[in-house]
Amino acid sequence: MHILVLGGAGMVGRKFIERLARDGALGGKPVTRVTAQDVVVASPPPAAPFDFEAVISDLSIEGEAESLIATRPELIVHLAAIVSGEAEADFDKGYRINLDGTRHLFEAIRKAGGGYKPRLVFTSSIAVFGAPFHDKIEDEFFTTPLTSYGTQKAIGELLLCDYSRRGFFDGVGIRLPTICVRPGKPNKAASGFFSNIIREPLNGEEAVLPVSDQVRHWHASPRSAVGFLIHAATMDTAAIGPRRVLTMPGYSCTVAEQIEALRKVAGDNVVARIKRVPDPVIDGIVAGWPRDFNPQRSLALGFKSESSFEEIIRVHIEDELHGTFVK
């Protein structure tokens, strides 16, 4: 099996490829080649049992998608995106990358011919939903995004369903919760503080909380995100029907509950490293996001996530901190 990962240098892409290297196979088929595309070079996973190629390119440039699929990978995982805060700050860039790049990819597959019909996993976002919200967003809730990023992802969802309906590829869209705790440095996502207030204190550093601790949000760990991709790549899509996009499971909690979970896991000294510095821009963006979900379709189809925020923190400590932290 040849797998193409778009956005392969990003955190989720890197972890997905590392999981492929550990497993050596996907859905019972040996992985023989992985191509990781991004605007920066993707590092090869350690001890990979397959051929690995890193491609530095911009998916939004005409002809690039055709080049990437020329070898006809059986699985395409589309993670490439401009994140929420940056898409809001740079309107043109957000639409160029998040919409034009996606459309170029879909069109390249459609025009490839010769019976080429790959499985395509498209990562969307809960940002496709906009207020006013129900207490828990059910699978039938309409998409009325209130950010440019959410709008771009919602358009991608519609295209995915239509191109799948027409038989151009076998698409599965997964609306990711906010991935927490993200390893590494803070990025430009408006949701970044959800990870920052856990990650930095565990590393012995201060973190800024820009919103009220009563803000409620929907979370899943990077480990769960990789599990979502693997299940979406290998599941029987006949069970999905024409509604090809699924809201992934997660765990809903307030910022205050996040902090209390951190206190239970790591203690008062770690929590004391969180500093409250209100940011009205971030607060305004977050106010337009959904807070809780009832994702019955994805649960029934076998997708799984954490059942508490303490579990999410412990996953981070185990996977990223070698089981320890700065007390």
Side-chain angles (χ1 to χ4, degrees):
M1 175 183 284
H2 177 200
I3 299 173
L4 170 63
V5 183
L6 305 171
M11 183 272 293
V12 175
R14 174 176 56 81
K15 286 184 172 292
F16 174 66
I17 294 169
E18 289 173 354
R19 172 69 181 272
L20 294 175
R22 290 197 301 272
D23 293 351
L26 185 66
K29 296 180 66 176
V31 177
T32 54
R33 180 180 177 188
V34 171
T35 302
Q37 176 276 343
D38 214 316
V39 293
V40 296
V41 65
S43 300
F50 45 72
D51 293 332
F52 178 83
E53 179 186 15
V55 176
I56 302 175
S57 68
D58 183 341
L59 186 63
S60 68
I61 294 175
E62 292 281 353
E64 184 56 36
E66 286 81 356
S67 176
L68 287 166
I69 69 159
T71 53
R72 302 202 168 200
E74 292 98 317
L75 169 65
I76 300 171
V77 176
H78 183 9
L79 295 161
I82 296 299
V83 294
S84 53
E86 189 173 3
E88 200 67 15
D90 192 332
F91 185 86
D92 291 331
K93 185 177 183 181
Y95 273 90
R96 179 172 61 82
I97 301 298
N98 294 344
L99 178 56
D100 296 344
T102 298
R103 178 73 190 279
H104 290 334
L105 172 67
F106 290 3
E107 277 293 278
I109 297 169
R110 180 176 75 89
K111 293 177 180 178
Y116 180 51
K117 185 180 177 180
R119 172 68 57 89
L120 192 152
V121 179
F122 171 69
T123 51
S124 187
S125 167
I126 58 174
V128 300
F129 300 108
F133 300 117
H134 297 173
D135 288 341
K136 286 192 175 185
I137 304 301
E138 63 278 0
D139 290 321
E140 290 73 29
F141 195 80
F142 43 79
T143 56
T144 52
L146 296 177
T147 63
S148 293
Y149 175 74
T151 301
Q152 293 146 15
K153 286 296 187 180
I155 297 170
E157 289 185 1
L158 290 172
L159 292 172
L160 180 91
C161 290
D162 195 39
Y163 278 60
S164 294
R165 179 184 66 85
R166 298 295 298 267
F168 302 135
F169 52 67
D170 186 15
V172 180
I174 57 174
R175 296 182 185 124
L176 294 177
T178 286
I179 302 304
C180 190
V181 178
R182 299 182 68 93
K185 299 295 183 181
N187 63 16
K188 295 183 179 180
S191 60
F193 68 88
F194 289 116
S195 287
N196 300 351
I197 63 171
I198 307 298
R199 182 184 59 239
E200 269 65 43
L202 289 171
N203 287 331
E205 303 168 8
E206 287 191 354
V208 171
L209 174 60
V211 301
S212 163
D213 62 7
Q214 294 308 301
V215 167
R216 176 175 289 277
H217 200 56
W218 187 244
H219 304 279
S221 73
R223 186 189 292 179
S224 286
V226 171
F228 298 156
L229 293 176
I230 289 172
H231 191 58
T234 57
M235 68 186 298
D236 180 5
T237 52
I240 299 179
R243 296 163 59 199
R244 289 291 183 124
V245 184
L246 300 162
T247 299
M248 292 294 97
Y251 183 74
S252 175
C253 64
T254 65
V255 170
E257 289 167 339
Q258 277 188 268
I259 294 171
E260 190 56 32
L262 180 63
R263 191 187 313 277
K264 290 179 181 178
V265 171
D268 291 337
N269 288 344
V270 173
V271 168
R273 296 172 187 143
I274 300 171
K275 307 301 178 185
R276 288 167 168 77
V277 182
D279 184 328
V281 174
I282 297 296
D283 197 53
I285 293 174
V286 173
W289 289 347
R291 298 172 289 276
D292 199 357
F293 290 85
N294 184 22
Q296 290 300 309
R297 290 185 68 217
S298 63
L299 291 169
L301 289 166
F303 290 91
K304 299 177 182 178
S305 183
E306 290 79 17
S307 59
S308 73
F309 201 81
E310 286 183 48
E311 185 181 355
I312 289 174
I313 294 173
R314 295 187 191 280
V315 165
H316 175 71
I317 293 171
E318 181 179 336
D319 289 357
E320 308 298 335
L321 304 179
H322 308 290
T324 188
F325 55 88
V326 180
K327 295 183 179 179

